Amino acid sequence: MFEFDVQYRDGRARVAQLHTPRGTVTTPMFMPVGTQGTVKGVSPQELLEIGSQMILGNTYHLMLRPGEALVEAHGGLPGFTAYPGPFLTDSGGFQVMSLGHMRKITEEGVTFKSHLDGSLVKLTPERSIEVQQALGADIIMAFDECPPYPAEREYIQRSLERTERWLGRSLSAKTNDHQALFAIVQGGVHEDLRRQSLALTLPYDTPGFAIGGLAVGEPKDQMYPAVAFTAAHLPEHKPRYLMGVGHPEDLVAGIALGVDMFDCVYPTRTGRFGYALTDDGRLNMNSSAPRRELVPMDADCDCYACRNYTRAYLAHLVKAEEMLAPRMLSLHNLRYLHRLVERARAAIERGEYHVWASEWAERYFKGQIPAWFQQAIDTGRSATPDPAI
Amino acid sequence: MFEFDVQYRDGRARVAQLHTPRGTVTTPMFMPVGTQGTVKGVSPQELLEIGSQMILGNTYHLMLRPGEALVEAHGGLPGFTAYPGPFLTDSGGFQVMSLGHMRKITEEGVTFKSHLDGSLVKLTPERSIEVQQALGADIIMAFDECPPYPAEREYIQRSLERTERWLGRSLSAKTNDHQALFAIVQGGVHEDLRRQSLALTLPYDTPGFAIGGLAVGEPKDQMYPAVAFTAAHLPEHKPRYLMGVGHPEDLVAGIALGVDMFDCVYPTRTGRFGYALTDDGRLNMNSSAPRRELVPMDADCDCYACRNYTRAYLAHLVKAEEMLAPRMLSLHNLRYLHRLVERARAAIERGEYHVWASEWAERYFKGQIPAWFQQAIDTGRSATPDPAI
């Protein structure tokens, strides 16, 4: 269980199978986010149809509402949500930082006021694991602290040291064998701090490792060197999960650097705002042009919206504020990201990842490929450095 | 085309097949309302799965946005909305009355300010038919005036006379053979005015007749005698359509009185407000009780929501204001009404409609069957009176 079989490699990019109690998934993969026990606007049946493999649930939200006991009474997230496949839950740490009010961080854990009713709630490594065990995901995350960007170097360092102690407590609190607990490497955008966090984290030899603390506001040209460095020093035979990422270009760059797992609310959120992801960039369905176009949002896409609807129809729904609009745009955007990683996997299997990624980027960025992206692709082509830290 | 084959009769209730260019439908039927070119929150695929047979589109809304020309450019409503079955469009008359501002009614037609942008718009019988031909529904409606409730007798009388002249102009304006134009009988809750409207309308011998001007605020004990009288005097071999109705109890009562077609926004609207239709009455998913119940909303229902979800899960979604909640409740409520007419048809076929309707009502009204309902069922059992007016 939780074996990770790498089947193809191309530079640092790889295709692998990850075995979980609720089924085997193929990486690289993008995980739709079901914050409150539902991927906003998309049914489990639709998630299966568009090729979703693993759904992310948010510990912070679910512990506050409806409470983990109710989810557990349904047999965990699969029974509660009717999505029959594997789940991953985060530890709650990140969202305490971003959503909790008046939070107080001590060695014990974090005390904060619920964003729902202002009640005082405490989250510790032990409590996070207790909740995550009740939620019953296949993969659970160590309780960590994710510093904001920017943050003082000294703060990031103290924080990553505490994150390591919390990892130890998270592992000690875990009482079952059917959930895999992934550790999280922190260190912000500082290579030496990432190195330190790696040195503290790797000895725990967890079944997978996450790259945390990124995509929190730092520029991409600081983020990707940190991804490259961290991913290169994580074990070859364990999955690497870049948390809270990302946009299409982030997936293509991250995969080049050896990342296997991604999650982000972006595809559903931007869909609710009326934007459709395509190989030509983001299509603004709020603008007037699509209202006259009798072609699919994305002619290459096989989702229900693109098979059945014109841009004109969907743009009408957006304008008329009809529920079917965010529903269809969310569905399409998730399918776009799933298709993107499917194409990435095929390119890795052919040994042509950098060619495919460059061609994809040429069109997506309309000939203006950003330096950070090109550097990620180039770095990914080169051999992985000596994994020794 | 547009033949109406009555296959079973039980008292005044009947089961029939109505043939349209886009397929044959079985009546009695409930038509989901797709006001702006979408049944709110429900996809065409789902509509087919739950047994929808014909979808209603609103001329008033679609002519204002996106404009009938765009719908026509898609080959009409089926191409625009991706629902492949039959459609019916209303004439726009009712919604001009309820939504247009500063409307002015003359013999020529109605001038009003759009509820969207305040622009001045004119709707006449000729314009209504022009729009409805562009929208391309299988069944279109004569442009009529629907007086509010209450209204002066004299006003209702002048209005029904004008409605007859508008019917003549609607029929003259129609230039194709693949759409059936239904006439609308008005007359408020007054039997003599209904009789007058029938006398004016029946000679046009349209392929179907609607009972208009009801369910606009009048008490049920005034509405149902008007339904009974009007339905009884409409031709036996033509479909009868009770416009803008209804609630579950309205379908059961209307079918008893010989009504074949119904439409209403109620199931989707009440679903968006968090209410689920069941044989035990309306279940309030906003209340606290369902949040603890690990049973389906409706154990008898075969919809996706009832097959997959507990009340506790769906009540959580309602509380968390997740899009899947109005989506699933709308789907369930439509399926509930479709199942209700399916059960009604089966009872008619068995010759036991009044038995089934009484048993259904006993449970639905929790033993407190209202007099208007009982009277409708009893009237429906009796032979149809002499159809002569």
Side-chain angles (χ1 to χ4, degrees), chain A residues 149 185-191 194 211-232 241-255 257 259 261-264 371-373 375-376 379:
Chain A
Y149 179 89
V185 177
Q186 291 287 351
V189 295
H190 309 282
E191 187 174 311
R194 285 276 157 191
I211 304 170
L214 295 174
V216 292
E218 75 285 2
K220 299 264 191 192
D221 60 2
Q222 291 187 34
M223 170 181 166
Y224 277 93
V227 172
F229 179 80
T230 312
Y241 165 27
L242 181 55
M243 301 183 82
V245 173
H247 293 216
E249 60 268 38
D250 292 310
L251 269 57
V252 177
I255 289 168
L257 295 169
V259 173
M261 299 163 63
F262 303 85
D263 81 281
C264 196
W372 68 263
F373 183 89
Q375 197 183 337
T379 302

Side-chain angles (χ1 to χ4, degrees), chain A residues 61-80:
Chain A
H61 285 93
L62 292 166
M63 70 181 277
L64 295 182
R65 186 175 62 195
E68 72 278 11
L70 186 73
V71 179
E72 190 172 29
H74 285 77
L77 283 168
F80 189 57

Side-chain angles (χ1 to χ4, degrees), chain A residues 327-371:
Chain A
R327 185 181 154 183
M328 287 294 120
L329 268 69
S330 297
L331 185 79
H332 164 74
N333 287 347
L334 288 175
R335 178 61 190 144
Y336 180 79
L337 292 190
H338 290 328
R339 274 185 59 243
L340 190 66
V341 294
E342 287 168 12
R343 289 185 284 164
R345 293 198 298 253
I348 295 167
E349 292 178 16
R350 295 193 307 270
E352 295 178 352
Y353 187 74
H354 72 283
V355 176
W356 173 80
S358 299
E359 285 175 1
W360 177 86
E362 189 67 24
R363 180 172 164 191
Y364 185 80
F365 290 115
K366 300 179 173 62
Q368 311 264 307
I369 298 178

Side-chain angles (χ1 to χ4, degrees), chain B residues 325-359:
Chain B
R327 186 182 152 182
M328 288 294 117
L329 268 70
S330 297
L331 185 79
H332 164 74
N333 287 348
L334 288 175
R335 178 61 190 144
Y336 179 79
L337 292 190
H338 290 328
R339 274 185 60 245
L340 190 65
V341 295
E342 287 168 12
R343 289 186 284 163
R345 292 198 298 254
I348 295 166
E349 293 179 17
R350 293 193 308 269
E352 296 178 352
Y353 188 74
H354 72 283
V355 176
W356 172 81
S358 299
E359 286 176 0

